[in-house]
């Protein structure tokens, strides 16, 4: 049976950076966001389902692709639509996620799932690794990275599980306020720890 480590963290916490460090050590990464993106390409199952669900409200870019950024703003401003979209997309994402994980050949697989706790998918993994930063750092990074106004950034943070809730489910934690060298060392130590568990 494939050993699954679920990596999660609040928006803007640096999950991608940490995942890449594990990938550099030869660990297979399966990313829920990348799967969601692929599912919402033209003629793919996710986009077709969304077109049925929101025939007049889906935003598109000039080249007729789903405007993910505009959709994200729409969802965070309308919790009812957000819930409906999640009900349609989450089962598709989950199926692909575990399909890819089971096909992996590395000693363990890192599932990068932003909403690991919110979706209760933590019940399907062997360990929960939380990339942790204070909310103030999330806010600062979101405003800078995505050029968002503070109100929307705050709303996005508060629509996810709280920092305390995530940490309550954590088997392992990486403090991502540290310099990259220290985060890299922390990842190496955890990697060795995971390998020793399976030895």
């Amino acid at each position: 049976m494939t050993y699954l480590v679920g990596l999660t963290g609040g928006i803007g916490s640096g999950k991608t950076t940490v995942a890449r460090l594990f990938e550099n050590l030869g660990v297979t990464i399966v990313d829920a966001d990348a799967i969601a993106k692929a599912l919402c390409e033209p003629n793919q199952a996710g986009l077709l389902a969304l077109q049925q669900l929101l025939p007049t409200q889906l935003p598109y870019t000039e080249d007729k692709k789903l405007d993910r950024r505009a959709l994200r703003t729409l969802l965070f401003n309308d919790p009812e639509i957000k819930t409906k979209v999640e009900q349609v997309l989450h089962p598709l994402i989950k199926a692909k996620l575990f399909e890819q994980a089971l096909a992996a050949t590395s000693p363990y697989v890192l599932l990068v799932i932003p909403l690991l706790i919110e979706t209760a998918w933590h019940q399907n993994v062997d360990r929960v690794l939380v990339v942790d930063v204070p909310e103030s750092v999330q806010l600062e990074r979101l405003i800078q990275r995505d050029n968002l106004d503070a109100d929307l950034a705050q709303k996005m943070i508060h629509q996810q599980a709280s920092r305390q809730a995530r940490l309550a489910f954590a088997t392992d934690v990486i403090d991502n306020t540290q310099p990259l060298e220290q985060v890299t060392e922390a990842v190496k130590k955890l990697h060795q720890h995971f390998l020793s568990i399976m030895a």
Side-chain angles (χ1 to χ4, degrees):
M1 190 62 191
T2 309
Y3 194 85
L4 302 176
V5 178
L7 182 148
T8 194
I11 190 166
S13 60
K15 296 179 291 296
T16 305
T17 301
V18 172
R20 279 202 193 110
L21 294 172
F22 277 98
E23 196 170 28
N24 292 344
L25 297 170
V27 179
T28 298
I29 307 299
V30 182
D31 186 331
D33 275 353
I35 289 171
K37 195 174 179 181
L39 283 168
C40 290
E41 288 294 323
N43 302 316
Q44 295 303 306
L47 183 58
L48 296 173
L50 288 181
Q51 285 167 338
Q52 276 195 308
L53 180 69
L54 304 168
T56 59
Q57 288 165 288
L58 275 189
Y60 295 93
T61 58
E62 283 178 16
D63 59 355
K64 303 284 187 288
K65 288 192 172 182
L66 180 66
D67 187 335
R68 288 166 55 82
R69 190 183 171 120
L71 178 64
R72 185 171 72 175
T73 304
L74 170 70
L75 300 188
F76 279 106
N77 285 316
D78 192 328
E80 199 179 316
I81 290 181
K82 182 172 182 278
T83 301
K84 285 179 181 173
V85 165
E86 286 175 349
Q87 284 168 348
V88 165
L89 288 184
H90 283 178
L92 297 173
I93 295 167
K94 189 176 185 180
K96 284 277 182 202
L97 200 69
F98 290 102
E99 181 189 307
Q100 289 182 19
L102 293 174
T105 54
S106 60
Y108 65 92
V109 177
L110 198 72
L111 301 181
V112 183
I113 308 175
L115 301 179
L116 183 72
I117 308 306
E118 295 87 336
T119 54
W121 292 358
H122 62 279
Q123 294 166 4
N124 301 108
V125 299
D126 298 290
R127 303 180 77 79
V128 173
L129 169 57
V130 172
V131 180
D132 183 52
V133 296
E135 193 179 297
S136 57
V137 174
Q138 282 181 266
L139 193 59
E140 194 181 310
R141 286 180 183 172
L142 264 184
I143 291 167
Q144 286 178 353
R145 183 190 77 184
D146 294 354
N147 197 19
L148 298 176
D149 67 71
D151 273 358
L152 180 58
Q154 198 98 49
K155 204 179 277 187
M156 290 166 87
I157 290 167
H158 289 157
Q159 280 192 19
Q160 292 188 326
S162 69
R163 184 185 183 192
Q164 290 75 13
R166 265 192 303 274
L167 290 172
F169 285 96
T171 325
D172 311 280
V173 179
I174 285 185
D175 173 3
N176 203 23
T177 59
Q178 303 176 96
L180 185 59
E181 299 75 38
Q182 282 173 258
V183 174
T184 305
E185 280 310 306
V187 165
K188 284 178 183 170
K189 277 183 190 166
L190 269 181
H191 176 60
Q192 291 307 321
H193 179 51
F194 296 158
L195 293 177
S196 72
I197 291 168
M198 288 171 284

